Amino acid sequence: MADNTLQPFVTALADTTQAVEKSLKELLRPAPLAGEMDRPQRLLDAMRYSSLNAGKRFRPFLMIETARLFGAESSGIVRAAAALEMVHCYSLIHDDLPAMDNDDLRRGKLTLHKAFDEATAILAGDALLTYAFDVLADEATHEDAAVRAKLVVDLARSAGMGGMVGGQMRDLIAEIAEFPLEQQDIEQLQAMKTGALIHFAVQAGAVFAGCDARNAQSLSDFGHKIGAAFQIADDLLDHSGDEATMGKKAGKDAERNKATLVSLLGLEESRNICETLVREAKQALMSVACPGDKTVLLQAVDFVVTRSS
Ligand code: GRG
């Protein structure tokens, strides 16, 4: 996965993975909550299949470590990180459907619609998305209702029509467009489709930490830059990565005529843009005034562009 020189980051990511898996298991238990009538076993199985024991948990890591910069640590932050991972997993489930990318492999195993069936995959995605907002709005996530409301609104705007879903729409339209998109349109599409949830991870960490406006702005810049670098690195991996290591099909972007910087500008220019984003992300992070150690987040920036899956 990551290069060995990133050891503190690798350890912190493993800690996040363990904490978030535990929280997801607990949240996806069979017993219904007050107000729920029942949790159908097949739906729970499908939700668990797609959200447990896999995935890098990079977004939860960003949320938890951003909050930790300011000494904020709580079981509520882990719940919020699990909620974000649920939204991410829903997006992957729906993205893999025949009506979208029509993929057979995700995180090294059969996609949900292949392992179960299409209707179950749609419902599992719907249920993960809905449940994420339940988790954020619950008092166990934060005692202050205003904080919970902010998390809910921020996630809705990052994941919805003006964020991830809107970006996915643009992505699908671009596949069949007569002319290739221009660079700034691709950048906006990617900021919406991929960047918005990554930005939310950092933004939510800042909310839990109760950051002042200046630090929140620096962290927002950090979130945007690391999100943009993440997507370009993903496109570079799709072009030259190894299918077995990635746990998903490679070469899909060219096959599906995806609008990417790699297809528009080529490998070298895309790598240059990615390197610039890495520098700018680190600068934004360095300008945050906080008591905590920034090492693992700085290393996370390097991980984004050196990862092999
Ligand atoms: C269907 C509403 C809807 C949105 C789909 C997430 C997404 C939008 C599409 C996925 C296509 C894709 C591969 C985008 C590139 C960036 C990305 C989200 C990669 C997957 O995230 P990772 O690498 O995955 O963090 P893991 O499996 O490690 O969690």
Side-chain angles (χ1 to χ4, degrees):
M1 196 175 52
D3 157 354
N4 282 337
T5 54
L6 302 181
Q7 198 50 54
F9 162 78
V10 172
T11 305
L13 186 63
D15 290 348
T16 291
T17 300
Q18 207 181 15
V20 169
E21 292 257 338
K22 189 164 172 266
S23 181
L24 284 169
K25 272 187 199 140
E26 162 69 13
L27 291 164
L28 295 172
R29 62 189 181 277
L33 297 173
E36 289 180 338
M37 292 180 222
D38 189 24
R39 293 184 161 191
Q41 193 57 50
R42 183 170 173 80
L43 187 56
L44 265 181
D45 288 345
M47 292 163 81
R48 293 168 70 95
Y49 177 89
S50 291
S51 61
L52 294 175
N53 304 319
K56 291 183 288 296
R57 313 303 190 192
F58 187 63
R59 294 154 191 79
F61 163 88
L62 285 178
M63 191 191 295
I64 290 169
E65 291 300 333
T66 301
R68 192 173 279 153
L69 286 179
F70 299 86
E73 263 178 276
S74 68
S75 55
I77 300 177
V78 177
R79 281 171 59 88
L84 172 56
E85 188 66 11
M86 285 189 215
V87 174
H88 171 57
C89 292
Y90 123 77
S91 79
L92 298 179
I93 295 169
H94 282 195
D95 186 64
D96 289 335
L97 287 169
M100 298 226 194
D101 270 7
N102 193 20
D103 274 313
D104 295 349
L105 209 58
R106 168 71 63 186
R107 291 173 163 176
K109 55 185 192 178
L110 284 179
T111 47
L112 186 59
H113 66 275
K114 286 280 170 188
F116 286 67
D117 60 81
E118 232 179 292
T120 305
I122 293 169
L123 293 176
D126 293 343
L128 284 166
L129 173 63
T130 317
Y131 194 25
F133 289 97
D134 179 334
V135 172
L136 286 186
D138 193 290
E139 274 182 352
T141 297
H142 200 284
E143 69 281 4
D144 184 342
V147 169
R148 301 198 301 271
K150 175 151 179 58
L151 292 169
V152 165
V153 170
D154 287 349
L155 181 59
R157 293 185 188 171
S158 304
M161 63 181 162
M164 183 178 69
V165 175
Q168 179 76 350
M169 186 77 253
R170 289 208 171 157
D171 196 48
L172 295 178
I173 292 170
E175 278 181 25
I176 51 164
E178 202 176 336
F179 301 105
L181 294 191
E182 291 179 7
Q183 183 173 344
Q184 67 181 41
D185 297 324
I186 296 176
E187 285 169 351
Q188 198 193 27
L189 179 166
Q190 299 191 333
M192 292 169 77
K193 185 179 89 162
T194 309
L197 270 204
I198 292 178
H199 177 264
F200 170 78
V202 176
Q203 186 182 27
V207 169
F208 273 105
C211 280
D212 61 26
R214 201 182 146 277
N215 275 336
Q217 184 56 54
S218 299
L219 284 168
S220 176
D221 292 345
F222 169 64
H224 284 306
K225 301 289 180 189
I226 195 171
F230 189 96
Q231 178 61 61
I232 300 175
D234 210 77
D235 297 341
L236 289 165
L237 265 179
D238 180 80
H239 185 274
S240 26
D242 169 54
E243 215 157 284
T245 318
M246 290 196 293
K248 60 182 180 182
K249 197 162 178 265
K252 287 187 310 181
D253 292 350
E255 202 179 280
R256 292 193 60 109
N257 193 32
K258 288 272 185 204
T260 69
L261 293 183
V262 174
S263 65
L264 184 74
L265 306 172
L267 287 174
E268 201 184 327
E269 183 58 15
S270 303
R271 283 196 193 108
N272 290 341
I273 294 174
C274 210
E275 274 170 29
T276 304
L277 287 165
V278 163
R279 256 196 324 276
E280 290 173 349
K282 288 183 178 177
Q283 276 163 6
L285 184 58
M286 287 315 292
S287 74
V288 175
C290 62
D293 185 348
K294 294 171 181 160
T295 306
V296 295
L297 281 171
L298 287 169
Q299 290 190 338
V301 182
D302 291 322
F303 165 74
V304 158
V305 293
T306 55
R307 69 199 166 97
S308 53
S309 72

